[in-house]
C-alpha cells in the first residue's frame, strides 16, 4: 500500500506546484496605442466600465487605469474575450441626448475579413423607457464600409416600443447578395447570436471571407424548412409490377441545427399515395393511402445554395380506400434510405424502401423518385 501512496503523493505535489506557478495561468493583456503591451489582471466593476475604461493590476500589485484614447484594446486571457477601441456617435446626456463622436471600447464578436463589434451603453445613453430596448449597439465593418446597427423607437398606441426595422434593413442591405443570409436578416433579433448566425451564413455564401467567430457565443438553434413534394413510386416486387401506376403528393418538414451538429437533420413527411397494379396476374387493384415517414439525415455537403443529404428512417402506409380485403396489404411499414439534393429552393429526392422478411400480401421493395419546392411561411 505504501508503494502506491508515495508515488501518488509526489505526483499531487508536483501538479500543485506547477499549477501555482505564475505562468500556468493565462494573463490578461492591454495593447497600447503604439503597439506595445502589458500583462496582468484586468479589473472592472460593470459593463459600462468595459466600454469607458479598464484597470490593469500588474504582477507587482500596482494598478493602472486606461481609457480608449490610450489603448488599441485589451483581452481577457482566460475568457478569450477581446475589446477594441473604436470611435462612434453616442448620445451625450449633458447635451440633451445629442449624438457626439466618442471613443469607446467595443467587444469583438466577429473578426477577420469583416468585423462585428458590440458597444455597451450607460443607463443614461439610451431610452430605457422604450419596451424591448437594449443597452448596446453594434458596429459592422467590412473594408471601407461601416454600419451602425441600433434599435430605434416607435410610438404604438401612445406606448414607446423598440423598433427593429431599421437595423434589419441595414443588415439586409449588407447581405443582399446572399439569399440565405438575406432571408435570415428579414426576421433578425437584436442579439449577438442572431446577428452572428446571419453573418456566418453570409461568409459561407461568399466562400472567400475568412471569419474568426467564437461558436460558444452562438447557441444552437433549429432551422425549419417546408417542402411540397411530388414523387413517382415503383413497386419492385413481382406481384405488384404489372400494369403499375403509383405516385405520392405531400408535405415534408425538415428541422436542422444552426450551429452545433449542423450536419444533422430530422425529416417528417405526410403524403397522399395512389397505387394501381395487377395483383398476381389476375386481379386489378387500386389503393388510396396516407403515408407518413420519419427519418434522420446527415449532410456530407451543406452550403446555403446547395446541399446533399443522406437519409435513413421508417415509412408507414395506411389505406383508407382499397380493393384489397387484407389488413396486411392495406397497412404496413418499410425501412427507408435515400439521398436528397437541394439547390436553392428546389429539391430532388431519390430513396428506396425495403422490409426484410416481407409477407406475400404487402410490398417489400419500393423505389421513389421525387421533386420538391421549398415554401416559406
Amino acid at each position: 500500500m505504501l508503494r502506491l501512496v508515495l508515488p501518488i503523493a509526489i505526483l499531487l505535489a508536483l501538479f500543485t506546484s506547477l499549477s501555482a506557478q505564475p505562468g500556468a495561468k493565462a494573463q490578461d493583456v492591454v495593447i497600447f496605442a503604439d503597439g506595445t503591451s502589458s500583462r496582468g489582471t484586468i479589473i472592472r466593476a460593470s459593463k459600462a466600465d468595459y466600454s469607458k475604461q479598464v484597470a490593469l493590476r500588474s504582477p507587482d500589485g500596482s494598478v493602472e487605469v486606461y481609457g480608449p484614447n490610450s489603448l488599441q484594446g485589451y483581452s481577457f486571457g482566460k475568457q478569450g474575450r477581446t475589446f477594441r477601441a473604436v470611435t462612434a456617435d453616442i448620445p451625450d446626456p449633458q447635451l440633451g441626448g445629442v449624438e457626439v463622436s466618442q471613443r469607446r471600447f467595443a467587444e469583438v464578436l466577429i473578426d477577420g475579413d469583416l468585423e462585428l463589434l458590440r458597444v455597451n451603453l450607460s443607463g443614461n445613453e439610451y431610452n430605457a423607457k422604450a419596451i424591448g430596448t437594449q443597452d448596446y449597439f453594434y458596429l459592422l465593418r467590412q473594408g471601407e464600409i461601416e454600419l451602425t446597427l441600433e434599435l430605434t423607437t416607435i410610438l404604438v398606441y401612445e406606448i414607446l416600443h423598440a423598433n427593429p426595422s431599421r437595423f434589419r434593413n441595414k443588415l439586409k442591405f449588407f447581405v443582399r447578395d446572399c439569399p440565405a443570409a438575406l432571408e435570415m436578416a428579414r426576421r433578425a433579433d437584436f442579439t449577438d447570436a442572431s446577428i452572428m448566425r446571419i453573418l456566418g451564413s453570409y461568409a459561407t455564401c461568399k466562400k472567400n471571407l475568412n471569419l474568426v467567430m467564437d461558436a460558444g457565443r452562438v447557441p444552437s438553434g433549429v432551422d425549419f424548412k417546408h417542402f411540397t413534394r411530388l414523387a413517382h413510386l415503383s413497386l419492385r416486387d413481382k406481384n405488384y409490377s404489372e400494369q403499375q401506376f403509383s405516385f405520392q403528393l405531400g408535405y415534408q418538414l425538415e428541422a436542422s441545427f444552426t450551429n452545433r451538429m449542423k450536419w444533422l437533420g430530422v425529416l417528417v413527411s405526410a403524403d397522399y399515395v395512389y397505387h394501381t397494379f395487377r395483383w398476381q396476374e389476375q386481379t386489378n387493384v387500386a389503393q388510396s393511402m396516407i403515408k407518413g415517414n420519419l427519418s434522420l439525415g446527415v449532410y456530407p455537403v451543406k452550403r446555403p445554395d446547395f446541399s446533399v443529404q443522406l437519409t435513413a428512417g421508417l415509412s408507414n402506409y395506411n389505406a383508407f380506400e382499397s380493393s384489397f380485403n387484407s389488413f396486411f396489404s392495406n397497412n404496413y411499414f418499410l425501412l427507408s434510405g435515400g439521398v436528397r439534393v437541394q439547390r436553392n429552393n428546389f429539391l430532388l429526392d431519390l430513396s428506396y424502401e425495403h422490409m426484410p422478411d416481407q409477407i406475400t400480401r404487402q410490398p417489400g421493395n419500393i423505389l421513389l423518385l421525387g421533386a420538391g419546392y421549398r415554401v416559406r411561411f
Side-chain angles (χ1 to χ4, degrees):
M1 183 70 178
L2 290 175
R3 293 179 179 177
L4 291 175
V5 172
L6 184 58
I8 293 174
I10 293 173
L11 288 173
L12 287 174
L14 180 61
F15 177 77
T16 303
S17 175
L18 291 173
S19 300
Q21 293 179 16
K25 181 180 178 181
Q27 290 186 309
D28 304 333
V29 60
V30 297
I31 302 174
F32 298 103
D34 61 3
T36 61
S37 63
S38 183
R39 296 181 181 274
T41 302
I42 291 176
I43 307 168
R44 76 278 186 206
S46 67
K47 288 196 299 183
D49 289 336
Y50 280 169
S51 61
K52 292 184 177 180
Q53 63 181 14
V54 60
L56 181 73
R57 179 187 288 125
S58 300
D60 62 4
S62 62
V63 176
E64 294 287 342
V65 178
Y66 304 101
N69 289 320
S70 57
L71 296 181
Q72 291 184 19
Y74 62 90
S75 62
F76 296 97
K78 187 175 181 179
Q79 300 176 14
R81 299 173 65 188
T82 298
F83 290 74
R84 185 169 295 159
V86 299
T87 301
D89 292 333
I90 297 174
D92 189 337
Q94 296 180 355
L95 299 176
V98 176
E99 290 190 347
V100 177
S101 179
Q102 302 182 42
R103 292 284 288 176
R104 291 292 173 92
F105 290 121
E107 184 171 6
V108 181
L109 302 181
I110 297 178
D111 204 0
D113 291 337
L114 63 84
E115 299 174 87
L116 180 66
L117 309 169
R118 169 172 159 158
V119 181
N120 292 316
L121 299 171
S122 301
N124 56 359
E125 294 177 334
Y126 70 101
N127 194 336
K129 295 181 179 179
I131 298 174
T133 193
Q134 299 294 342
D135 59 346
Y136 54 82
F137 65 90
Y138 300 96
L139 295 177
L140 177 56
R141 297 171 167 176
Q142 185 180 19
E144 299 298 321
I145 299 174
E146 178 176 296
L147 299 177
T148 300
L149 305 180
E150 58 187 345
L151 284 175
T152 56
T153 57
I154 186 172
L155 200 62
V156 180
Y157 299 114
E158 300 183 355
I159 299 176
L160 203 60
H161 291 258
N163 182 13
S165 61
R166 185 176 180 184
F167 105 84
R168 286 175 178 168
N169 288 336
K170 289 184 178 181
L171 201 54
K172 287 189 293 184
F173 169 78
F174 188 84
V175 301
R176 62 191 181 280
D177 54 348
C178 176
L182 178 60
E183 182 62 29
M184 295 170 66
R186 297 184 193 280
R187 55 184 187 277
D189 296 321
F190 197 68
T191 62
D192 299 351
S194 179
I195 297 175
M196 290 171 72
R197 285 194 191 103
I198 293 167
L199 296 178
S201 176
Y202 175 71
T204 303
C205 184
K206 300 300 288 184
K207 299 184 179 65
N208 58 341
L209 286 180
N210 295 315
L211 303 186
V212 178
M213 184 188 308
D214 182 5
R217 295 185 67 95
V218 186
S220 287
V222 180
D223 182 32
F224 294 100
K225 295 180 181 179
H226 308 269
F227 297 89
T228 57
R229 299 188 309 159
L230 176 65
H232 172 262
L233 291 79
S234 176
L235 284 69
R236 313 297 289 180
D237 300 296
K238 182 175 63 175
N239 289 332
Y240 301 85
S241 60
E242 291 189 9
Q243 300 181 25
Q244 178 188 157
F245 173 72
S246 302
F247 72 91
Q248 73 176 31
L249 175 66
Y251 162 80
Q252 185 178 69
L253 170 67
E254 178 189 4
S256 59
F257 297 98
T258 58
N259 188 19
R260 300 177 183 87
M261 298 193 300
K262 293 172 65 174
W263 50 269
L264 180 64
V266 179
L267 301 163
V268 179
S269 61
D271 300 277
Y272 165 75
V273 177
Y274 181 74
H275 289 310
T276 60
F277 48 86
R278 188 164 181 79
W279 170 250
Q280 293 184 340
E281 301 180 354
Q282 58 185 2
T283 304
N284 293 326
V285 174
Q287 290 179 309
S288 294
M289 314 184 82
I290 295 296
K291 174 189 175 182
N293 178 272
L294 176 63
S295 296
L296 292 178
V298 295
Y299 282 98
V301 179
K302 187 176 184 181
R303 301 197 300 266
D305 59 339
F306 179 79
S307 64
V308 177
Q309 187 180 43
L310 305 178
T311 65
L314 184 67
S315 296
N316 176 228
Y317 290 81
N318 295 278
F320 59 88
E321 185 176 341
S322 176
S323 304
F324 272 131
N325 294 323
S326 168
F327 173 84
F328 297 102
S329 298
N330 293 323
N331 302 273
Y332 49 87
F333 288 89
L334 294 171
L335 300 174
S336 66
V339 58
R340 300 170 75 245
V341 179
Q342 185 181 347
R343 176 72 175 181
N344 294 324
N345 291 325
F346 295 93
L347 175 69
L348 184 64
D349 188 353
L350 178 66
S351 60
Y352 196 84
E353 298 179 336
H354 172 71
M355 180 54 67
D357 302 321
Q358 71 175 111
I359 65 174
T360 307
R361 287 170 291 174
Q362 63 184 219
N365 299 276
I366 301 178
L367 178 66
L368 298 93
L369 176 62
Y373 186 80
R374 183 181 177 183
V375 293
R376 302 178 188 273
F377 298 102

